[in-house]
Amino acid sequence: MTVVFLGIGATAALTSANSFDSKKLHISSRRLVSETKSTFFVVRSDGRLNSGSNRRAQILITNAVATKADSSPATKPGHELLLFEALREGLEEEMERDARVCVMGEDVGHYGGSYKVTKDLANKYGDLRVLDTPIAENSFTGMAIGAAMTGLRPIIEGMNMGFLLLAFNQISNNCGMLHYTSGGQFTIPVVIRGPGGVGRQLGAEHSQRLESYFQSIPGIQMVACSTPYNAKGLMKAAIRSENPVILFEHVLLYNLKERIPDEEYVLNLEEAEMVRPGEHITILTYSRMRYHVMQAAKTLVNKGYDPEVIDIRSLKPFDLHTIGNSVKKTHRVLIVEECMRTGGIGASLTAAINENFHDYLDAPVVCLSSQDVPTPYAGTLEEWTVVQPAQIVTAVEQLCH
Amino acid sequence: MTAAATKIIQPLPLNFTNTTPRSPDKALFHPLKTTPSSSFPASTHKLRLTKPNSTLARRRSTAVFAVSDVVQEKKPKSNTFHPNLLITKEEGLELYEDMILGRSFEDMCAQMYYRGKMFGFVHLYNGQEAVSTGFIKLLKNEDCIVSTYRDHVHALSKGVPARAVMSELFGKTTGCCRGQGGSMHMFSKEHNVLGGFAFIGEGIPVATGAAFTSKYRREVLKEGDCDHVTLAFFGDGTCNNGQFFECLNMAALWKLPIVFVVENNLWAIGMSHLRATSDPEIWKKGPAFGMPGVHVDGMDVLKVREVAKEAINRARRGEGPTLVECETYRFRGHSLADPDELRDPSEKAHYAARDPITALKKYMVENNLVSEAELKAIEKKIDEVVEEAVEFADISPHPGRSQLLENVFADPRGFGIGPDGKYRCEDPKFTEGTAHV
């Protein structure tokens, strides 16, 4: 059993023996010297639990891959729910905790959200706190920013992430830059969230991946959730953050089911998630492609490979520590993303890895992204624009031969 | 929570007569058009026509919703020595001082720019002082203002010290935004100046958001006495922009405590308002969204002030937004880089004759409110303030390297985790400003 010791005094991960989808320990939040708020625990390399300076969580949380039943005796019962319900739970807990947290977006109120993330919240909190806006993305995003500057903590929902292209002016100029241009006087603690990614034949305009467009905006953070567990944790972290955070959800992942802890937990916005530890190759992915990667991993394991799969989760900034440690171990990197090839997250990640870990690479970084093609409506064509598990298997075989 | 916010708000009828509910002091916004016979030095409310063949401008709508004729009807504050005047001596001096500050400051900016002390795009407010002074001097500190790139004087009127603004223009760290904003991005948390925006229309949603917060605090957070108002200042060019219309809709829909102040100076750089707008009467766009639209002579600070009082009080009472179109003019070019060749000299002369500062001075002196000497004293005082501001800015330090990365994130953990496992902001190179992000 290998132990990966990550960082000075912060965390350690215990890896399980052989099977990639058996119980795994979830890496806790990292501790910043001056930071006190997040729920976290520290797992030492000899397996002893040690709580950090914040004494909140004393339990071991195991994180099964979405559909697998979790049978660890150390787990508290928890409750099972779907990803969109996990988002709602996180949102509701934060709204309960802080009266300044409000939601703005199209159909978030009476309709309950086009993907039901805000279902029943308007009944509970009222029409002003869960605000149904007219169809004016640029203006209601700007309005949320103005509200954030004057003390509220709004969450802006884009009914589809693609619609936020209309709000690019406000997101880039005001959301990202206003804290800086005001000399630090105003903070913009907004969360911008919504479903994006390629769905099932939704057509080109509803299948966009905006993470590549937004990544250059200075001053914002971007995270992508992929499981109910990290969806809730990231939602809560994003709401509590003083920075503007864009939370990317995926249209096809809303109905994923998982058992999540009953007790409150908040994840770290800047950390990546170790999905499957391995030895031969590092596969970096996020959002829906995580599932394609895990599917490919099944095949790869049968063929005798041992891939290490990391869900990077934080698209901006990258968690260079988790990624770096993995690269130093395996010396080979494959990036699998749904973003476009040109200027996507994978492109930035490739550059970052080459810059920081060049000496540790035995082979060039390979990046599998979607084709630079407007997503076609036809099912067959759509399938070919996105990375499929077979391609992942081939790429790993080529990298590892 | 009541369903009030979801009720469809009926737009105010356009052609009604004197059956409107009146505020105790008689409603400012009358559906009638009467020619004013005001005792004020400035001239009429008629929409000016600069080109004889602009039939567009000649179009009169029967749906006149609001023209400010209140001057005659409104009961002035009781003023023992001057019962018929709209302002007391103290108020008059305050207004005069504010306008002189605006004018002197902007003139000094021009000088400093040509001497190479400030760079980039600098947009001066000369000629429009009546709007800034007329509105902002009625506000409390907690009220917010949002402006455009022509924002120096708005910031000054709201109370930002002249030295902080001048320092900001010089790019020094003592500037109101630590030198990071510049001419077009004046912010002040202390005085609730929410910017300073370079793209036109960009600030209007932000202002709408500030107004939303005010309503939220009253209705959700139950701070019953929160009656903060927000003013959004922008120009005629902005009134053709989507964000303007989208925000008029939302503000009227939710009855937000905001006043939309249009500083119609007829020109958007070199584009005449009449060439860019199908219906150039901007105040008419208010009723289309269910709020009163008012047109006022923006070269007359007292008229602006009267309209502003009513609009701001309307917002404070929770009755919703107002659109105020101020007919005004900028004496200088769009910016210090603008040669200003397109505007007709006779148009410029026409407005130069209506200089708001001269007008107020004349009014106060003729009505024996103040003496010439008192006004001279104010001018001298302001000269000293502006000189001092320049000196202060001159001796202030330039930002050091360490300032480069400080304000990118409110929470610097946003820079991420470095290869060594520590947050990158803990790296000393970050405080030095030499780290690469």
Side-chain angles (χ1 to χ4, degrees), chain B residues 123-294:
Chain B
H123 310 83
L124 298 181
Y125 201 73
N126 298 48
Q128 301 182 195
E129 294 86 359
V131 180
S132 179
T133 301
F135 269 92
I136 299 179
K137 282 311 180 193
L138 292 170
L139 296 180
K140 303 187 288 200
N141 188 57
E142 298 77 28
D143 296 320
C144 299
I145 61 165
V146 170
S147 178
T148 58
Y149 43 73
R150 206 178 296 281
D151 55 349
H152 307 168
V153 179
H154 294 134
L156 292 170
S157 292
K158 193 69 171 56
V160 182
R163 39 163 48 189
V165 182
M166 192 59 84
S167 262
E168 183 61 32
L169 292 169
F170 282 28
K172 302 293 178 82
T173 124
T174 48
C176 53
C177 301
R178 308 181 78 198
Q180 289 166 193
S183 168
M184 301 183 278
H185 304 282
M186 292 291 168
F187 288 84
S188 168
K189 191 161 175 83
E190 191 192 329
H191 300 280
N192 288 304
V193 178
L194 267 51
F197 291 93
F199 287 17
I200 58 150
E202 203 174 46
I204 306 178
V206 173
T208 311
F212 179 82
T213 300
S214 180
K215 185 180 167 90
Y216 189 97
R217 285 172 68 177
R218 201 171 42 246
E219 296 185 14
V220 177
L221 300 180
K222 307 292 182 208
E223 293 172 29
D225 54 350
C226 180
D227 61 352
H228 304 161
V229 164
T230 306
L231 302 185
F233 293 92
F234 47 94
D236 43 285
T238 308
C239 296
N240 293 324
N241 187 283
Q243 283 168 111
F244 168 63
F245 298 113
E246 290 172 1
C247 290
L248 285 186
N249 179 46
M250 292 197 291
L253 182 64
W254 298 314
K255 285 197 170 161
L256 300 181
I258 183 172
V259 182
F260 296 101
V261 184
V262 182
E263 294 169 322
N264 183 354
N265 58 21
L266 266 196
W267 292 88
I269 306 188
M271 188 66 167
S272 155
H273 176 58
L274 302 171
R275 289 184 68 219
T277 316
S278 55
D279 185 346
E281 292 181 76
I282 300 171
W283 59 269
K284 283 160 62 182
K285 301 182 187 188
F289 288 92
M291 69 178 82
V294 191

Side-chain angles (χ1 to χ4, degrees), chain A residues 7-8 10 30-35 38 98-102 104 110 125-129 131-152 169-170 173-174 176 178-188 218-221 241-244 268-272 316-322 324-325 328 356-357, chain B residues 1-6 144 168 175-182 185-190 192-195 197 199-217 219-221 241-247 249-250 253-254 256 403-426:
Chain A
I8 304 162
R30 193 169 301 272
R31 174 174 49 173
L32 178 63
V33 171
S34 55
E35 182 265 324
S38 63
D98 186 348
R100 298 169 301 162
V101 176
C102 54
M104 297 181 189
H110 293 191
Y125 294 109
D127 283 335
L128 207 58
R129 244 186 122 178
L131 187 73
D132 278 322
T133 60
I135 305 174
E137 277 79 6
N138 202 12
S139 294
F140 71 69
T141 304
M143 190 171 97
I145 290 167
M149 287 165 77
T150 43
L152 300 186
N169 179 7
Q170 293 290 340
N173 285 345
N174 289 346
L178 208 145
H179 182 71
Y180 195 85
T181 45
S182 68
Q185 291 181 82
F186 290 100
T187 55
I188 325 281
I220 55 153
Q221 279 186 253
S241 172
E242 293 301 315
N243 297 333
N268 201 327
L269 286 176
E270 297 88 25
E271 269 192 16
K316 178 178 196 277
F318 296 130
D319 177 359
L320 292 177
H321 187 242
T322 309
N325 282 351
K328 289 175 190 174
N356 287 290
F357 309 115
Chain B
M1 184 79 195
T2 67
T6 56
C144 299
E168 183 61 32
C176 53
C177 301
R178 308 181 78 198
Q180 289 166 193
H185 304 282
M186 292 291 168
F187 288 84
S188 168
K189 191 161 175 83
E190 191 192 329
N192 288 304
V193 178
L194 267 51
F197 291 93
F199 287 17
I200 58 150
E202 203 174 46
I204 306 178
V206 173
T208 311
F212 179 82
T213 300
S214 180
K215 185 180 167 90
Y216 189 97
R217 285 172 68 177
E219 296 185 14
V220 177
L221 300 180
N241 187 283
Q243 283 168 111
F244 168 63
F245 298 113
E246 290 172 1
C247 290
N249 179 46
M250 292 197 291
L253 182 64
W254 298 314
L256 300 181
Q403 200 180 306
L404 181 64
L405 303 174
E406 273 172 23
N407 300 124
V408 177
F409 287 106
D411 179 352
R413 284 181 292 172
F415 283 118
I417 300 169
D420 59 1
K422 296 205 289 210
Y423 275 97
R424 296 175 71 200
C425 57
E426 295 176 304

Side-chain angles (χ1 to χ4, degrees), chain B residues 14 53 55 96 280 355:
Chain B
L14 295 175
N53 62 348
T55 45
Y96 190 77
D355 187 330

Side-chain angles (χ1 to χ4, degrees), chain B residues 102-103 106-107 124-129 329-332:
Chain B
R103 182 69 61 89
E106 298 292 72
D107 283 338
L124 298 181
Y125 201 73
N126 298 48
Q128 301 182 195
E129 294 86 359
Y329 202 76
R330 51 169 165 83
F331 294 158
R332 289 181 179 268

